[in-house]
Amino acid sequence: MDGARAGTAGGRLRRRLVTLVIGGVLVGGTVAMLWAVQRQLVYFPDTSMVPPAAEVLPGGRDVVLRTEDGLELGAWFVPAGTGTDAHPDSGMAVLVAPGNGGNRLGRVGIAEELRERGFAVLLMDYRGYGGNPGSPSEDGLAADADAAVVALAEAGYPPERTVYLGESLGCAVVAALQDRHRPAAVFLRSPFTELADVGAHHYPWLPVGALLRDRFPVADHVADSDVPTTVLYGLRDSVVPAGLSAEVADQAERADVLVERVVLPEADHNDPVMFGSVVADAVARLVSARA
């Protein structure tokens, strides 16, 4: 009997060990696969070629952003409007750093709204977006933003006459950009504290912090900022939890750079309100506050 019991116990132990080994292999394989394809889970570019700027934005023109690593990226420049809604503080531009999806064709609406308020606008597309060469990464997007700053300066809008408007992932791009090229102001739409916090929210069963190669630490940059800042976010955001955006606003407030916190109770991440007059009006208020 003792031998039989021992044999049964040994069999159970072997089965458990086999189960653990198989589980470990599956988990390890999953982690390895996610490490290899992680950027495909972060960046969702619309690679389609876009039309000439003048076809969709009257007066707009195509510009080329030349990056330090040798890429030539398409972008659109829209001159300032002169209508009744034009902002009295003329001579200002807005650099729009988009989120992780689509391309600049989807930002025509916000460009028109900003132009009506008297701002010139540069709609950039990152590498890999909108027919541009290259593949996106944190370092790559930083180089793309640097090239956009150079292009705006050549058009007569140096950083001190430019508002950096970041949209979601673009918030991380402009939060870091302000350290390298100090702007007139920064506008953060749907920011996160750092990319790993968003990943942990959507994939709580994965060691996201250990896996991510691209970190995008927004809150750290905001904490060290002395640039006037507005933070806008929606409470129904299904992509970036509203609590993360609120933490960024709190950090800006502690750093004494928060000009305004705009909270939209019914807005989701990509609702039309996030690309329209509410955003443009808040940009105008930001510029007025710093004047």
Side-chain angles (χ1 to χ4, degrees):
M1 291 291 291
D2 290 342
R5 289 195 186 105
T8 301
R12 285 197 298 266
L13 179 59
R14 283 192 295 274
R15 286 193 295 272
R16 288 172 183 169
L17 288 173
V18 169
T19 300
L20 287 172
V21 170
I22 292 174
V25 169
L26 290 175
V27 170
T30 300
V31 169
M33 180 188 70
L34 290 173
W35 170 261
V37 304
Q38 62 177 273
R39 283 181 172 148
Q40 296 176 37
L41 302 175
V42 173
Y43 306 102
F44 301 96
D46 183 340
T47 60
S48 305
M49 297 294 293
V50 298
E55 289 187 7
V56 293
L57 287 163
R61 66 176 186 263
D62 295 290
V63 297
V64 176
L65 312 182
R66 294 179 171 85
T67 69
E68 62 181 7
D69 56 345
L71 296 182
E72 293 189 349
L73 309 177
W76 290 341
F77 177 79
V78 188
T82 57
T84 56
D85 291 335
H87 194 274
D89 188 359
S90 59
M92 298 285 291
V94 179
L95 168 58
V96 178
N100 67 338
N103 59 38
R104 60 191 181 277
L105 186 59
R107 277 79 183 182
V108 168
I110 187 60
E112 291 176 331
E113 293 283 356
L114 290 166
R115 177 173 62 179
E116 288 175 5
R117 287 154 182 79
F119 299 109
V121 182
L122 182 68
L123 291 180
M124 66 177 296
D125 262 333
Y126 308 123
R127 57 190 64 203
Y129 288 73
N132 284 335
S135 299
S137 66
E138 184 173 9
D139 290 342
L141 268 57
D144 301 346
D146 287 339
V149 169
V150 171
L152 268 176
E154 291 173 347
Y157 297 95
E160 61 268 22
R161 290 170 53 195
T162 301
V163 177
Y164 297 164
L165 190 164
E167 167 195 304
S168 189
L169 185 72
C171 294
V173 174
V174 301
L177 182 65
Q178 70 175 341
D179 291 347
R180 303 189 300 276
H181 310 280
R182 188 183 189 279
V186 171
F187 191 99
L188 304 177
R189 197 279 274 177
S190 308
F192 47 78
T193 45
E194 63 174 308
L195 187 59
D197 293 336
V198 181
H201 172 79
H202 290 287
Y203 307 103
W205 48 277
L206 282 174
V208 175
L211 282 173
L212 279 179
R213 285 180 280 181
D214 295 342
R215 311 301 300 185
F216 292 112
V218 179
D220 288 349
H221 290 294
V222 171
D224 294 332
S225 175
D226 63 351
V227 177
T229 301
T230 288
V231 179
L232 180 148
Y233 57 95
L235 293 185
R236 294 185 179 274
D237 198 312
S238 58
V239 177
V240 175
L244 297 183
S245 295
E247 286 185 42
V248 174
D250 292 344
Q251 190 63 67
E253 193 167 32
R254 286 192 290 271
D256 199 26
V257 296
L258 185 68
V259 171
E260 185 179 16
R261 181 195 307 245
V262 182
V263 182
L264 307 178
E266 301 300 322
D268 199 351
H269 195 77
N270 289 314
D271 282 352
V273 68
M274 294 300 198
F275 303 89
S277 61
V278 171
V279 173
D281 285 341
V283 172
R285 291 194 300 272
L286 174 61
V287 171
S288 293
R290 59 159 294 279

